[in-house]
Amino acid sequence: RELWLQNLSLTSPRWLKDRDEQLCRNTPRPQPWHFSHRVSGLYIFDRKAFRPVINYSIPTQVNISFTLSAILEVDAQLQLMTSFLWLNLIWYNPFIRWNPEECGGISKLSIATENLWLPDIFINEFMDVDQTPTGLMAYVTSQGKIRYDKPMKVTSICNMDIFYFPFDEQNCTLSFTSFLYTVETMVLGLEKDVQEISNISQNLMQNKGEWILLDIRQTMMRMAVDDSQYDQITFYVAIRRRPFLYIINLLVPSGFLMAIDALSFFLPAESESRAPFKMTLLLGYNVFLLMMNNLLPDNGTPLISVYFALCLSLMVLSLLETVFITYLLHLVTTQPPPMPRWLRSLLLHCTSPRERCLTAPQNSSPSSNDLCSPCLGLCLSLGLKEPVELVGKVPGPQEAELNGCPESTRTQQEDEAQKQHLVSLWVQFSYMMDTLLFRLYLLFMAISLTTVIVLWS
């Protein structure tokens, strides 16, 4: 102002000088610039759209780190993971520097980000609109180091494999890169070690939801687009599902129903309540699957769906086998059909020597009948009636003499013995079918339990 007034006195007439001097006195004095507005004699905020470098051929180093604080949702159908993280960006601005001794010992300031140049770092897998709040602040040190912490709700695409549901582990990626600046103008780096990022994220995980964080790994690469190359840092986020909810609601009820269906084999085969009991179990299992269908993934075929399909198939097979045996035992009481030779050979081959005594004719020697009695007791203990009870009691020799028809009675005894022999073969066949199916149930349940233990561990 003094210099301006001095120039007026040298170049202007008296009346013009008095008018301009009066105008200058009435004009308010400009406020002094704060050092956050002017640093090293440069007004940097007019240049915030440009990359802050002294030599434009030198690329800007931007260091990246983040803290994953919550896994909000994982959508297996849409292949999306929604998470909340704090993104940390650090770079240097050579034009923002001051001497703390000349500025009251202040070595660190917070400045609104709208007054700073910001690197355009984005996530390649981002599938939603950036909802970062406005009016955020950045920290600036006296050496020109800028730290920008940005909260982000990230909805990113994730390639998921749900075959081992609910014991599945997913590996989602977060790739950070620049949209405008190539490797000639911007270079990306890590502010923290990836193991430190993983440990901090696991300690700060705020929600106790369905997913837990296992580990975070990273790789650095250069992405080629046309003739340009861009720096890219890819983080691999490994997460695992908590399976306890699905074990309690899906696997345990299914296992109980299968165990009850297996115990139903101890009911007598000719009992009228065995088939209705199995039909009730089958109906209850179908209702259970319909009620718990919303807990299963909507896409793909996980292993647990295969397990449910096998359980349902075994229960249907068991019901069909019960119906067949009931019909077979009813048929042999009236007119037992002849057994094919190949089936008889298979039956003799698959049964033990103690069980083969059932195939012996009833008119054999007393020693043979003595051997047969333990086997018949075994059939009775498993719920099968003795063949004599199924076809009726054969009249003895004394009863035949009293009737006065010894020859016809002898022929009738032979026919009845042959009939009892066929009945014993069909009874043993039904027992063998029950045994094989029961053992198949036990094998399936043992394999299922072992698989659950292995996958859970």
Side-chain angles (χ1 to χ4, degrees), residues 113-169:
T113 55
E114 60 185 12
N115 297 322
L116 290 173
W117 173 86
L118 298 177
D120 61 331
I121 302 299
F122 75 102
I123 302 176
N124 284 337
E125 294 82 4
F126 201 81
M127 299 299 294
D128 200 355
V129 179
D130 191 3
Q131 301 177 359
T132 303
T134 59
L136 298 177
M137 307 295 288
Y139 290 102
V140 182
T141 65
S142 59
Q143 301 299 322
K145 180 181 179 181
I146 302 178
R147 179 184 179 91
Y148 176 41
D149 296 333
K150 176 181 178 182
M152 297 181 64
K153 180 182 177 182
V154 180
T155 301
S156 58
I157 190 170
C158 181
N159 188 12
M160 300 181 186
D161 183 10
I162 60 171
F163 180 74
Y164 294 106
F165 173 88
F167 306 97
D168 53 331
E169 297 181 3

Side-chain angles (χ1 to χ4, degrees), residues 53-254:
V53 288
I54 298 176
N55 188 351
Y56 208 73
S57 62
I58 299 177
T60 301
Q61 175 78 26
V62 178
N63 294 331
I64 298 176
S65 69
F66 71 93
T67 301
L68 184 63
S69 59
I71 300 175
L72 304 179
E73 183 184 3
V74 177
D75 193 334
Q77 182 179 6
L78 299 178
Q79 303 281 296
L80 295 177
M81 180 185 71
T82 303
S83 58
F84 185 83
L85 56 87
W86 284 88
L87 178 62
N88 311 119
L89 302 177
I90 297 175
W91 70 95
Y92 281 89
N93 190 330
F95 301 111
I96 308 181
R97 293 184 181 180
W98 69 89
N99 189 357
E101 297 179 356
E102 298 178 357
C103 301
I106 299 176
S107 60
K108 188 176 182 179
L109 290 174
S110 60
I111 302 178
T113 55
E114 60 185 12
N115 297 322
L116 290 173
W117 173 86
L118 298 177
D120 61 331
I121 302 299
F122 75 102
I123 302 176
N124 284 337
E125 294 82 4
F126 201 81
M127 299 299 294
D128 200 355
V129 179
D130 191 3
Q131 301 177 359
T132 303
T134 59
L136 298 177
M137 307 295 288
Y139 290 102
V140 182
T141 65
S142 59
Q143 301 299 322
K145 180 181 179 181
I146 302 178
R147 179 184 179 91
Y148 176 41
D149 296 333
K150 176 181 178 182
M152 297 181 64
K153 180 182 177 182
V154 180
T155 301
S156 58
I157 190 170
C158 181
N159 188 12
M160 300 181 186
D161 183 10
I162 60 171
F163 180 74
Y164 294 106
F165 173 88
F167 306 97
D168 53 331
E169 297 181 3
Q170 308 298 338
N171 194 5
C172 301
T173 58
L174 297 174
S175 302
F176 295 88
T177 185
S178 174
F179 186 76
L180 294 177
Y181 299 100
T182 62
V183 292
E184 288 81 11
T185 55
M186 181 182 294
V187 178
L188 301 182
L190 286 178
E191 176 64 19
K192 299 177 183 178
D193 184 68
V194 66
Q195 190 62 40
E196 183 180 359
I197 295 176
S198 178
N199 295 336
I200 294 176
S201 299
Q202 290 176 351
N203 295 332
L204 295 182
M205 190 68 68
Q206 297 177 359
N207 63 332
K208 301 297 181 182
E210 184 180 356
W211 297 87
I212 58 176
L213 178 63
L214 295 180
D215 191 19
I216 296 178
R217 296 175 290 105
Q218 66 87 25
T219 58
M220 300 185 66
M221 58 176 294
R222 290 190 173 181
M223 180 177 59
V225 179
D226 295 334
D227 296 333
S228 303
Q229 289 188 342
Y230 299 84
D231 250 359
Q232 177 175 299
I233 300 179
T234 302
F235 292 92
Y236 299 93
V237 181
I239 56 178
R240 181 175 61 190
R241 193 192 306 265
R242 287 188 173 96
F244 191 73
L245 172 67
Y246 301 95
I247 291 177
I248 296 299
N249 292 320
L250 294 178
L251 295 181
V252 172
S254 177

